[in-house]
Amino acid sequence: MKKKLGALVALLLAFALSACGAKVNTELKMESPTSGKRIITLVLPKLDENAQKQVHGGNDAIDKSIRRHLPKELTYSGLKKDGDKTIATFTLEFDSLETYREKIKSVFSASTQDANADPQIAITTEGLVTGVQISENYDSLALMKWLPNGLVEDRVVDEDQRGNVLENGDSKVTFDGKEHKSDGSRLHIVDVKDKGVNDLAIALEEVKDGLAISANFGYLSGTDYPKDELTKYIDSVKPDGAEVADLSGEFQGVKVAYTVANLDEANKSLVKLLGDPSFAIKETAGVQEGTGFPTRKIEAQMNCGGVCSVTNPNTTFTFTPAQGWENHGNDKIHGKNGEIDMTMNLLFSDVSVDSTLGMDGGTVVVKMSLPKDVAQRAGDAVKSIVNRADQGELESVESGDKVNYTLTLKADSNEQLNNMLGRYAPGSEFAIRENPEAGTFTDGVYFSYTNTFASTIALAEGQEVKQTFSLDGYSVDKSAESATETSTTGNFDVSGTASRMATSAWITLGVVGALVLIAVGLGVWKRKAIAAKLADMKEKRAAAAQERARAQAEAMAAQQTMAAGYPQQGQPMPGQYGQPVPAQAQPPYPGQPVPPAQPMGQPVPPMPGQPMPGQPVPPQAQPAPQQPVEGEWSENDLM
């Protein structure tokens, strides 16, 4: 075996040096309409010994280079002697047409080629078009470029000989024991019985229950078309429950309409309906850069070998997405292949931003809602939009026909806060600093706050963002107070000054309050002793008042006695102990009338200020209340 391998590599090198490459022959051997193998053979004629000696590194170097660069999709079966020729065989096996496409693309990438490989294979045994239709836009020489590239890279072959190692040979397709030869190096086989349609239009529309599908099979109006064959074919392949109607207008034929649950079921039904297992619709989900909106890409392989005429058929694919999705420029694919790009613009309503910030960061609460059906279709993409850059804590709650989202951004410092704001809504910033001009008992600050939430959140038509702002622990001055609450579709800006009571003022109030509490506490604690003291003082004041009243009464009685000519008790009689004798009344002067004598038994007239007999006695004037002596308690102290 080693000896045969040495002969092969020597022959390869000899071909390169003689500017005559090894021929690359291709056979696509279809074991079924969707599976088979691609066999590539290198045919090496016998060369002279001088050419075989031109090997850099010897036979081992050639063998290592081939095995080192062999793509994993190919199997290398070794050498086979055929007379004076040597044959090297490489095989690519596949069990589906999709697998075949993927493996072909991988082999191209092994030689760093960005080829748009697009193999079209349709083998049908029944339907409107029967036979073999195969077309490829590449050849096996392009697939095998990895081999000379590897030899040059490993310095087994010189650079100027890279293009002379291989050359194109023959190509063919075999199926069901029949051989179909291609006219050139690329596979292109058309061997069919054609009663196919001239126009095929496939349309998919997303509806509430899944996908509504319509397929138009059309022939040009005015032409003789195989109506019976078409009707018979459609009846044999249409899905259960499908509705069939005649076409009118530019094309004649039939229209088939039905509904499926999802894209997978759509593919299965259309493969059967079109009689082509290579027909495929694929969907790829993604996220739009910058906005985070969900994106979709619909790719269609409009292969219709079982129903489309081989003579210039017209194929159209249309996709109508559900509400909320927008196409990027086109909603149709004309021709065999194409793609439709879409983006879901998630438009939010009930949006509010409540910012409570301070000297040490703060909290920003963002609320918004989406219709429930839109939120369900968007799936997890909504979370990445609402909580962009994964900056906060997100909650979602279903409420009626809406889903409400609440995002909380919380920071322990202004540096952290501005970092979060900038990542969530670029251009947002909060600044705060002390105001040295504030009063003695006041702490003041300057602040400014800008957020761009309204311009970074996609709003539904007619919606605005309700913005509220407050400074934690401070009262915003009137000059800026009106700007702390507003609704807008643009940036939110508020700035100004704010203040609060200073720490020293709080300390003073605390001391005064403490003293009051101490006084009240002492009063409560000594309330029994105080009450007893006050009761005693009240009794003493009452006794003193009675004593003063008695003394006053005695004084008034004494005054009355003296007025009547009687000495006051304890006073000497007139003439006693040297007291002066009151003067006797003198008789009147001559000519003066003598006052009449007072009759005996008549009452003595009252003293001035006293009431007449029989008149009521006026109330005695109450003595003025005694003022408490300094240092004593009174009941007024507890009022």
Side-chain angles (χ1 to χ4, degrees):
M1 180 64 186
K2 185 175 181 180
K3 188 174 181 180
K4 290 181 179 180
L5 181 61
L8 168 65
V9 296
L11 285 171
L12 287 173
L13 184 59
F15 268 116
L17 296 176
S18 62
C20 181
K23 283 192 175 183
V24 181
N25 295 327
T26 301
E27 178 185 6
L28 184 60
K29 188 174 183 179
M30 300 298 297
E31 297 170 351
S32 77
T34 59
S35 63
K37 59 182 69 174
R38 185 188 189 96
I39 302 170
I40 302 172
T41 58
L42 302 183
V43 182
L44 311 171
K46 183 178 180 180
L47 298 176
D48 58 40
E49 294 183 1
N50 290 330
Q52 296 180 22
K53 293 179 181 179
Q54 307 295 324
V55 177
H56 302 312
N59 294 342
D60 288 341
I62 295 291
D63 178 54
K64 289 179 180 179
S65 179
I66 292 175
R67 296 185 181 280
R68 181 183 300 120
H69 299 283
L70 181 70
K72 65 179 184 302
E73 291 77 16
L74 298 176
T75 58
Y76 170 55
S77 60
L79 299 174
K80 181 180 179 181
K81 295 294 292 183
D82 184 11
D84 60 352
K85 298 179 181 179
T86 301
I87 299 175
T89 305
F90 301 86
T91 305
L92 185 152
E93 298 184 0
F94 56 95
D95 56 9
S96 70
L97 298 180
E98 183 63 26
T99 301
Y100 182 64
R101 288 192 186 92
E102 294 301 325
K103 285 191 174 183
I104 290 295
K105 290 180 180 180
S106 295
V107 173
F108 270 113
S109 65
S111 57
T112 65
Q113 298 182 81
D114 189 18
N116 184 24
D118 183 28
Q120 301 290 324
I121 300 175
I123 300 177
T124 57
T125 57
E126 58 183 15
L128 300 176
V129 180
T130 57
V132 176
Q133 297 182 72
I134 296 176
S135 177
E136 294 184 344
N137 60 349
Y138 54 89
D139 55 31
S140 290
L141 180 62
L143 279 175
M144 295 298 290
K145 277 191 175 181
W146 59 270
L147 195 153
N149 289 347
L151 293 176
V152 172
E153 180 181 335
D154 296 336
R155 298 183 180 180
V156 179
V157 173
D158 294 335
E159 174 63 35
D160 59 356
Q161 296 297 321
R162 184 194 299 265
N164 297 327
V165 174
L166 304 175
E167 67 177 23
N168 267 317
D170 299 327
S171 59
K172 63 181 179 179
V173 175
T174 58
F175 173 68
D176 196 21
K178 185 178 180 180
E179 185 176 286
H180 306 269
K181 288 189 176 182
S182 180
D183 295 335
S185 60
R186 294 182 179 183
L187 287 176
H188 182 74
I189 309 293
V190 178
D191 188 0
V192 298
K193 294 180 179 180
D194 186 5
K195 293 184 179 181
V197 299
N198 304 121
D199 185 86
L200 175 69
I202 305 294
L204 271 64
E205 180 180 1
E206 288 187 320
V207 294
K208 183 177 181 180
D209 298 327
L211 288 169
I213 300 175
S214 66
N216 293 1
F217 299 81
Y219 297 83
L220 287 173
S221 296
T223 62
D224 184 17
Y225 79 100
K227 183 175 182 180
D228 292 339
E229 286 88 343
L230 176 62
T231 301
K232 181 180 179 180
Y233 173 76
I234 295 298
D235 287 341
S236 67
V237 297
K238 69 180 181 180
D240 294 338
E243 297 180 357
V244 180
D246 291 335
L247 293 176
S248 61
E250 182 181 0
F251 293 96
Q252 56 187 343
V254 297
K255 175 181 179 180
V256 182
Y258 58 98
T259 302
V260 296
N262 51 51
L263 192 60
D264 184 54
E265 291 187 12
N267 269 314
K268 291 178 180 179
S269 66
L270 288 170
V271 164
K272 184 177 181 181
L273 194 62
L274 303 182
D276 193 335
S278 64
F279 176 89
I281 302 173
K282 295 190 299 182
E283 178 179 0
T284 305
V287 176
Q288 188 179 53
E289 185 177 355
T291 66
F293 289 164
T295 61
R296 302 168 71 187
K297 177 184 289 186
I298 302 295
E299 298 177 87
Q301 294 279 348
M302 285 289 291
N303 299 326
C304 53
V307 298
C308 289
S309 172
V310 297
T311 306
N312 194 26
N314 178 43
T315 58
T316 304
F317 174 79
T318 304
F319 186 87
T320 303
Q323 181 182 5
W325 291 97
E326 293 185 3
N327 294 322
H328 289 180
N330 68 303
D331 61 353
K332 291 184 179 181
I333 295 174
H334 296 279
K336 289 289 187 180
N337 306 291
E339 62 185 37
I340 298 173
D341 293 318
M342 294 168 289
T343 298
M344 175 176 278
N345 296 326
L346 297 177
L347 305 180
F348 294 90
S349 58
D350 308 318
V351 183
S352 66
V353 180
D354 184 8
S355 305
T356 303
L357 311 179
M359 297 296 290
D360 299 312
T363 303
V364 178
V365 179
V366 186
K367 296 182 179 180
M368 62 190 77
S369 65
L370 281 175
K372 184 185 295 185
D373 58 339
V374 173
Q376 290 174 345
R377 284 196 299 269
D380 291 340
V382 179
K383 297 179 181 179
S384 64
I385 294 172
V386 178
N387 189 13
R388 64 192 65 179
D390 195 24
Q391 291 299 292
E393 298 179 1
L394 178 63
E395 294 182 357
S396 61
V397 178
E398 291 188 7
S399 177
D401 60 352
K402 293 183 178 181
V403 178
N404 298 322
Y405 300 91
T406 300
L407 174 68
T408 303
L409 305 174
K410 191 173 184 179
D412 297 327
S413 68
N414 286 332
E415 181 180 1
Q416 181 186 11
L417 173 68
N418 282 319
N419 185 34
M420 295 177 72
L421 291 174
R423 288 171 60 85
Y424 188 88
S428 300
E429 185 179 17
F430 173 69
I432 186 170
R433 61 184 177 86
E434 293 183 355
N435 178 7
E437 299 178 358
T440 305
F441 294 103
T442 303
D443 286 337
V445 293
Y446 296 108
F447 69 91
S448 63
Y449 177 47
T450 298
N451 75 50
T452 62
F453 285 58
S455 59
T456 56
I457 298 173
L459 300 176
E461 185 176 358
Q463 292 288 311
E464 292 184 331
V465 177
K466 182 179 180 181
Q467 296 264 11
T468 59
F469 169 78
S470 61
L471 274 178
D472 188 18
Y474 290 86
S475 296
V476 176
D477 295 343
K478 291 184 178 180
S479 59
E481 187 175 1
S482 61
T484 60
E485 184 172 344
T486 186
S487 294
T488 180
T489 57
N491 293 347
F492 175 73
D493 292 288
V494 59
S495 61
T497 58
S499 59
R500 66 182 179 185
M501 188 177 292
T503 304
S504 59
W506 286 111
I507 293 175
T508 303
L509 287 176
V511 171
V512 172
L515 292 175
V516 171
L517 290 175
I518 290 173
V520 173
L522 286 174
V524 174
W525 182 42
K526 295 290 187 178
R527 64 184 182 278
K528 291 185 179 179
I530 294 172
K533 181 68 174 176
L534 291 175
D536 182 61
M537 292 173 61
K538 187 175 182 180
E539 290 176 0
K540 289 181 177 181
R541 283 197 299 272
Q546 291 177 356
E547 180 64 26
R548 286 194 298 271
R550 186 186 62 80
Q552 187 177 11
E554 290 179 354
M556 291 178 64
Q559 289 177 1
Q560 292 176 356
T561 301
M562 290 179 65
Y566 295 96
Q568 190 175 1
Q569 183 178 358
Q571 296 296 325
M573 293 295 290
Q576 289 183 345
Y577 314 113
Q579 292 295 325
V581 179
Q584 298 294 318
Q586 299 297 323
Y589 291 103
Q592 287 185 333
V594 179
Q598 294 291 332
M600 294 299 290
Q602 293 296 318
V604 179
M607 295 178 63
Q610 296 297 317
M612 292 296 291
Q615 291 183 342
V617 179
Q620 299 289 330
Q622 295 296 323
Q626 183 177 1
Q627 296 298 320
V629 180
E630 183 177 1
E632 291 185 347
W633 288 82
S634 72
E635 53 266 51
N636 294 329
D637 295 324
L638 297 181
M639 295 299 291

